[in-house]
Amino acid sequence: MGMSDTMTSNCSFEEVDQMMRYLELIIYMPIFLIGLLLNVAALLVFCLFLRKWTESTIYMTSLALMDLLLLFPLPFKMHATNHLWPTHLQSFCSVLESLYFIGIYGSIYTIMCIAVDRWVAICHPFKAKQLRSPRAALGSCVGVWALVLAAISPTIYGFRQGSRTEFHCFHAFSQKGWSPQLIICLQVFGFLLPALVVIYCSLQTIWALRQSGQRSARSRACVKIIYSSLSAFLLPFTPSHLGILLQFLVHQGVIQDCGTKTRISLFIQIAMCLSNITCCLDALCYYFIAHEVRSTKRSFRMSMSQRRATNSTSEV
């Protein structure tokens, strides 16, 4: 999101921008390297080793691809923090910004789909037989990709049109990027609505598991998946969207105090940087999903072995 203008109404943000030139590198470098390693490893595990396309593995594969899409622009983002880009790179910058936000909001909606899928499977087991299937999961993932591509790409592309000067990519969007209609849609449909769905489904699922009184290994693994998904959603995205709301109030003239505007500028930039940690937090989900699939395979083999043993005994 556009972070700060160097000067706004005689209020200087040079100290904040100078600080962020170093902080962004410190935050982004480990996120990029760890996130790249974990997400590539996750794709290898899901696609090559597990080879069992359940609803969970389909959602997590899509989430790993979203995370990689979010990671791809980070080196360019780090470069743009310390270097002005020539005017002719505006279109390329818009593509990178689009990929970045597609990765963010695609991850948000994919995590929401995972939460809904879990809720249906555990809280409505009879309906789940009709509603849940690998094909339905694949359709949901394709729908998420289509939604974020259609909503974000045309929007982001228009933010830099008409500028004839050198610019910092990923910074200082035009006033069009802070229009009330856009920010309201972003906050409501980009974060608040998915957040309410994720929280509701997660709490309902945890409550159902506890009410059932199950203490099996699979039940405990399911609870861990729910908590990890909830953490991967709320920890990165809540501060960043709060920062977007505060910066919107600055652009609308609601907040005019220079010191407050400076602190908000610093907060939104740090929050947006840390929001990328979702690429690493999602690895918690990958681990538990992989563990669950392995457990399912193991249980299936054990049941088959017991069935064969029973059949052999009955034949004797």
Side-chain angles (χ1 to χ4, degrees), residues 248-287:
F248 169 71
L249 296 177
V250 170
H251 279 264
Q252 293 299 307
V254 177
I255 297 174
Q256 297 184 352
D257 177 69
C258 184
T260 304
K261 290 198 288 187
T262 303
R263 288 190 290 272
I264 289 173
S265 176
L266 180 62
F267 174 74
I268 186 177
Q269 292 190 69
I270 293 176
M272 291 298 292
C273 286
L274 292 176
S275 68
N276 297 285
I277 204 171
T278 185
C279 299
C280 303
L281 293 178
D282 288 340
L284 293 173
C285 305
Y286 303 151
Y287 169 78

Side-chain angles (χ1 to χ4, degrees), residues 86-199:
T87 307
H88 70 269
L89 289 180
Q90 285 187 43
S91 295
F92 178 63
C93 174
S94 294
V95 170
L96 292 174
E97 290 169 342
S98 296
L99 293 178
Y100 180 76
F101 286 107
I102 288 168
I104 288 179
Y105 291 101
S107 296
I108 286 175
Y109 270 85
T110 303
I111 293 173
M112 184 190 75
C113 289
I114 292 170
V116 172
D117 181 69
R118 288 282 165 193
W119 173 69
V120 171
I122 293 170
C123 297
H124 303 280
F126 296 108
K127 291 183 180 179
K129 293 179 180 180
Q130 288 78 39
L131 297 176
R132 294 181 78 240
S133 68
R135 180 175 294 182
L138 181 61
S140 298
C141 291
V142 171
V144 168
W145 280 88
L147 176 65
V148 293
L149 282 167
I152 291 175
S153 296
T155 307
I156 299 294
Y157 188 77
F159 287 172
R160 298 195 177 276
Q161 301 308 301
S163 176
R164 297 181 180 178
T165 60
E166 293 182 326
F167 65 100
H168 284 290
C169 190
F170 290 95
H171 292 262
F173 283 159
S174 67
Q175 193 62 29
K176 183 180 178 181
W178 294 99
S179 65
Q181 298 89 340
L182 178 63
I183 297 300
I184 290 171
C185 286
L186 185 73
Q187 293 287 344
V188 173
F189 298 105
F191 178 69
L192 287 177
L193 181 61
L196 290 174
V197 172
V198 169
I199 292 170

Side-chain angles (χ1 to χ4, degrees), residues 29-96:
M29 285 301 294
I31 287 176
F32 178 76
L33 295 174
I34 296 172
L36 186 64
L37 177 65
L38 292 177
N39 284 281
V40 170
L43 287 177
L44 290 174
V45 169
F46 287 129
C47 297
L48 299 180
F49 296 106
L50 294 180
R51 295 181 182 177
K52 182 177 176 64
W53 288 107
T54 65
E55 296 84 358
S56 297
T57 52
I58 289 171
Y59 282 125
M60 299 312 294
T61 300
S62 181
L63 186 58
L65 291 173
M66 288 289 186
D67 286 340
L68 289 174
L69 198 65
L70 173 60
L71 287 167
F72 174 74
L74 286 190
F76 300 98
K77 200 170 188 293
M78 287 186 278
H79 179 273
T81 300
N82 296 293
H83 300 87
L84 286 168
W85 286 19
T87 307
H88 70 269
L89 289 180
Q90 285 187 43
S91 295
F92 178 63
C93 174
S94 294
V95 170
L96 292 174

